Every structure is written in structure tokens, then in C-alpha cells.
Amino acid sequence: MTEPPKDALVRFLEDRFACAQSCTDCARACAVLVSSTDLGTTVPAPVVHGPARPGPVDVPRAPHGLRRALLLCVEVCDATCRLLSEESHQDEYGLRLQVEWCRAVALECAHACDRTPDAADCAERCRACARACTDFLATLA
């Protein structure tokens, strides 16, 4: 069995690490956005001293699809990062499937974020994750 050239191994490890780091960054950005996304609850009105007291205030509802996309992205990116961080010898086919799935989920999440105000940072993190996955997949070819 012939070992791969050293520069190819170094590139593989660098791209693998970059992909894992991007997955972590993406998962964190999505988790922060999920935790700050209101689910459409009604909050009590602020206390107003005087005769006029407004009723409850409706908080804008985050699209259900966005929350689902964010949570899936967190889970898939976290699982991918854990897999990429393992030192044991892994099945290349299984690794490829996981990274391709992560790339697809990250892009889908970025598109969901594009339709939501104040989610531009998360969308960019998701796109960066997808790019890192693409770069890593190229080292597997």
C-alpha cells in the first residue's frame, strides 16, 4: 500500500480542520439565532402609570421553517464536527456522506436566513461552512 504524498496529507488535514471549525462556527451562529428567535408569544404590556393602559403586545413570530432549519443545521454541523475531530481511521464513504449532508443543510439554512431580517451573520456562517465542506470534499476525490 502506497502512502499519499506528504503535501496531499497536509492539505487533507488542513481542509478537514477548516471544515470542522466552520461547522462549529455555523452551529454556534445558528444556536444563537434560535435562542434569540421568538416563537410568537404574547408578552405583557409594560406597566404604564396613568389612565391609558395598553393590552398585551404581540411579538413578531419567527417563521417556523427558519427555526427548523436552524435546529437541523446545529445538529448536523455538530455531528459533522465530531466526526471530523475523531482520530480513528474512518470509512471514506461515510465521511463523504456526512460532509455532503452538512454542506446541503448549511446551504438550506443560509437560504432560510436570507428570508429573515437580522439573520445575515448566520447566513454567512452557513455559507462559509458549505464552502469549507466543498473544499474538504475536494481532498477526498
Side-chain angles (χ1 to χ4, degrees), residues 45-62:
V47 176
V48 177
H49 299 287
R53 295 194 106 189
V57 177
D58 285 330
V59 177
R61 182 176 206 121

Side-chain angles (χ1 to χ4, degrees), residues 21-90:
Q21 185 62 48
S22 278
C23 288
T24 300
D25 292 346
C26 181
R28 284 184 184 146
C30 289
V32 166
L33 191 56
V34 164
S35 68
S36 68
T37 301
D38 198 317
L39 298 177
T41 58
T42 302
V43 296
V47 176
V48 177
H49 299 287
R53 295 194 106 189
V57 177
D58 285 330
V59 177
R61 182 176 206 121
H64 180 68
L66 173 64
R67 184 171 176 78
R68 187 175 64 242
L70 291 167
L71 290 172
L72 180 62
C73 198
V74 168
E75 289 179 23
V76 173
C77 283
D78 185 52
T80 304
C81 181
R82 278 185 277 127
L83 183 66
L84 291 170
S85 299
E86 290 178 1
E87 290 184 29
S88 63
H89 188 275
Q90 298 162 354

Side-chain angles (χ1 to χ4, degrees), residues 87-108:
E87 290 184 29
S88 63
H89 188 275
Q90 298 162 354
D91 171 39
E92 184 179 321
Y93 179 74
L95 187 61
R96 177 180 290 285
L97 285 177
Q98 181 68 36
V99 174
E100 286 176 351
W101 185 34
C102 185
R103 175 178 59 181
V105 168
L107 285 175
E108 185 176 316

